Amino acid sequence: VNDWYAWDYYTFSPIENPTGSDEHSVKVLRGGSWSNIDTAVRAAKRFTASVDARLEDAGFRCAQDAQP
């Protein structure tokens, strides 16, 4: 998740591949972990964290663009 967070970003963001706010203070974390409540585990759930935060229940997913 490369997106920068702003609470109102989706009111003015591009429809395709939004990159997030230009403020660059906190990043977006998506989905939950084993330690979250049921409603927070959805992939659509968004959290925020500063770029230097160390969180025991946050990880990452490896991804690759689809090949043509």
Side-chain angles (χ1 to χ4, degrees):
V1 289
N2 195 36
D3 299 358
W4 293 98
Y5 179 80
W7 70 271
D8 61 345
Y9 181 68
Y10 287 123
T11 61
F12 57 87
S13 68
I15 293 173
E16 290 188 27
N17 196 22
T19 58
S21 171
D22 290 332
E23 295 174 22
H24 297 192
S25 58
V26 293
K27 291 289 230 169
V28 175
L29 301 175
R30 297 182 191 274
S33 77
W34 58 270
S35 65
N36 291 124
I37 60 173
D38 293 348
T39 56
V41 179
R42 299 179 39 218
K45 180 66 176 172
R46 292 164 37 102
F47 301 91
T48 63
S50 65
V51 294
D52 59 353
R54 299 183 101 190
L55 306 169
E56 65 184 37
D57 61 347
F60 64 92
R61 295 181 184 110
C62 295
Q64 180 177 344
D65 290 336
Q67 299 298 317

